[in-house]
Amino acid sequence: MELRDLPSVDELARAVGDPLAVAAARSVLSRAREEIAAGGEPRDLEERVRAELAATRAPRLRRVLNATGVIVHTNLGRAPLAEAALERVLEIGRGYSNLEYDLDRGARGSRQEHVIDILRRLTGAEAALVVNNNAAAVLLALAALAEGREVLVSRGELIEIGDGFRIPDVLARSGARLREVGTTNRTRAGDYEKAIGPETAVLLRVHQSNFRVVGFTEQPSVAELAAVAGRHGLPLVDDLGSGALSARNGLALGDEPTAQESLAAGADIVCFSGDKLLGGPQAGILVGKASVLARIAKHPLMRAVRIDKMTLAALEATLRHYQRNEVETSIPIWRMIAARPEKIASRASSWASKLQAQGVPARLQRGE
Ligand SMILES: *Cc1c(COP(=O)(O)O)cnc(C)c1O
């Protein structure tokens, strides 16, 4: 085939007869020219334009099968939502709602009201606040409590979560100054005590979400840190990251601390994600002392990181499952975490044989 045998962009687009066909025809023809230059015989040009159009119109964001073995996978959308959460998103997204309207008083209300009580009951906190995600929760808390002043953080907790979320950078953006205490592997409550001065505004504790320091290590407990913070009248903020909401469902959480435990041990503010071990939508949840949360809620950044109505609908429905003790039956990630190894093995072997039947090489491998 010669280059001059190819149709023009317009001819090809007209043959397909689709309003978006010109751009598709252009890209198909440009590939066809390369193929001719390489000695090929490009065929089915109209078919290729139609395929290109179908790809252009198909949703970019789509479902995938998670075969990684990682249940809460950030690149694959973290927690799948519970059925009830999805139903509530449809219901609230479809029409108008009392998002910021108090139906009893017939007056303007707060979107926060829809989840405050349930979060208080579930965690034992005095008050609660929800925002766009946990990164926003940390940023907001530090901006509101420590702008222009110092935040004490252990050198062992100056972490990067992934995708560039680094505690020292977030701290800098909040307008607070980082004051490092202790060492990478060992930090004691006394290190915080010694570092406290007139400029200190907050003691921040950060959960080492995705790494461990092993060997000769020491980190103070929340209770020890709370005692130091309390003696100096400073708030202790505990960024739990994953933030399992409850150990009540009887599943081993390893060393994942729960929000209740941290609050009971004396943290003033505990923050965690909505779409990690909670198993809900992307959100940042802050629970703790009413007086401290009131300062955070008043900060101008609050408006920039506010939670959306669909998220709020899904979050409320997810929290209701906790309230009704339906975590292991209704929240997808907890159903997966609770799945018995025999069941997982039989599902995997059924997958493997189906794949093998299709000629796909597949074998079973047990991970720990
Ligand atoms: C995941 C994580 C964050 C960020 O939470 P997002 O909800 O992803 O914004 C912050 N701190 C810790 C310790 C985390 O593990």
Side-chain angles (χ1 to χ4, degrees):
M1 187 187 269
E2 304 286 328
L3 283 174
R4 62 169 180 274
D5 299 329
L6 287 174
S8 74
V9 168
D10 279 343
E11 279 164 355
L12 182 56
R14 233 177 298 124
V16 174
D18 185 296
L20 297 182
V22 172
R26 195 168 284 131
S27 88
V28 165
L29 284 170
S30 124
R31 259 176 286 133
R33 274 182 227 108
E34 286 165 21
E35 286 165 30
I36 292 174
E41 286 284 317
R43 265 192 290 268
D44 304 326
L45 294 179
E46 288 177 27
E47 206 32 61
R48 285 163 70 171
V49 172
R50 283 195 195 92
E52 177 106 1
L53 282 170
T56 311
R57 291 212 166 92
R60 283 272 313 153
L61 182 61
R62 58 187 182 194
R63 296 185 62 176
V64 300
L65 193 64
N66 177 2
T68 63
V70 178
I71 293 176
V72 178
H73 197 302
T74 296
N75 302 147
L76 303 181
R78 291 201 183 155
L81 294 177
E83 275 310 310
L86 294 167
E87 282 164 19
R88 297 286 291 143
V89 170
L90 273 182
E91 183 185 337
I92 296 305
R94 184 169 273 146
Y96 298 108
S97 63
N98 63 339
L99 180 65
E100 289 187 352
Y101 196 81
D102 186 326
L103 292 170
D104 293 332
R105 291 191 301 119
R108 197 194 156 125
S110 156
R111 64 180 65 207
Q112 298 288 333
E113 287 300 325
H114 306 296
V115 287
I116 289 179
D117 281 343
I118 192 166
L119 280 169
R120 284 174 45 197
R121 260 180 271 131
L122 289 171
T123 63
E126 275 176 27
L129 193 68
V130 288
V131 295
N132 178 59
N133 59 9
N134 191 34
V138 177
L139 177 71
L140 180 68
L142 296 177
L145 304 177
E147 199 157 6
R149 299 176 63 203
E150 276 179 7
V151 175
L152 307 190
V153 190
S154 162
R155 289 194 168 89
E157 296 174 353
L158 291 173
I159 59 171
E160 172 172 325
I161 312 297
D163 211 14
F165 180 86
R166 292 179 160 182
I167 288 294
D169 297 343
V170 173
L171 236 149
R173 290 287 161 194
S174 74
R177 289 196 305 277
L178 168 63
R179 172 111 190 231
E180 302 178 14
V181 303
T183 61
T184 306
N185 57 329
R186 304 198 83 176
T187 303
R188 300 181 190 86
D191 294 325
Y192 291 82
E193 185 108 48
K194 265 183 277 163
I196 291 175
E199 285 294 290
T200 312
V202 166
L203 271 63
L204 175 66
R205 190 170 177 273
V206 186
H207 183 52
Q208 298 173 335
S209 297
N210 49 9
F211 77 105
R212 293 289 173 267
V213 178
V214 294
F216 188 55
T217 64
E218 184 175 348
Q219 292 287 341
S221 68
V222 178
E224 286 169 324
L225 276 185
V228 174
R231 270 201 293 284
H232 296 269
L234 295 168
L236 170 63
V237 175
D238 191 6
D239 174 13
L240 287 185
S242 280
L245 195 50
S246 161
R248 216 179 28 173
N249 45 36
L251 294 171
L253 289 171
D255 55 359
E256 281 298 334
T258 66
Q260 296 86 312
E261 283 164 3
S262 178
L263 288 171
D268 295 286
I269 298 291
V270 172
C271 58
F272 52 98
S273 291
D275 54 355
K276 290 181 180 169
L277 287 178
L278 184 72
Q282 176 189 304
I285 299 166
L286 299 111
V287 289
K289 285 231 171 73
S291 58
V292 184
L293 277 170
R295 283 168 65 197
I296 296 176
K298 279 207 300 272
H299 193 274
L301 260 182
M302 182 68 194
R303 178 63 176 73
V305 299
R306 83 175 176 188
I307 193 162
D308 150 76
K309 66 181 175 189
M310 290 188 286
T311 308
L312 206 46
L315 181 62
E316 186 189 3
T318 307
L319 294 172
R320 298 261 172 238
H321 282 315
Y322 280 86
Q323 193 178 35
R324 294 194 297 253
N325 248 322
E326 297 165 346
V327 175
E328 282 172 52
T329 50
S330 304
I331 296 182
I333 63 153
W334 284 104
R335 267 206 311 262
M336 291 185 249
I337 294 169
R340 301 163 68 81
E342 311 85 74
K343 204 169 153 211
I344 299 170
S346 85
R347 200 187 302 153
S349 90
S350 124
W351 265 100
S353 43
K354 280 184 194 140
L355 287 168
Q356 281 154 359
Q358 304 274 324
V360 179
R363 70 192 163 85
L364 282 187
Q365 184 178 316
R366 221 191 145 85
E368 295 303 331

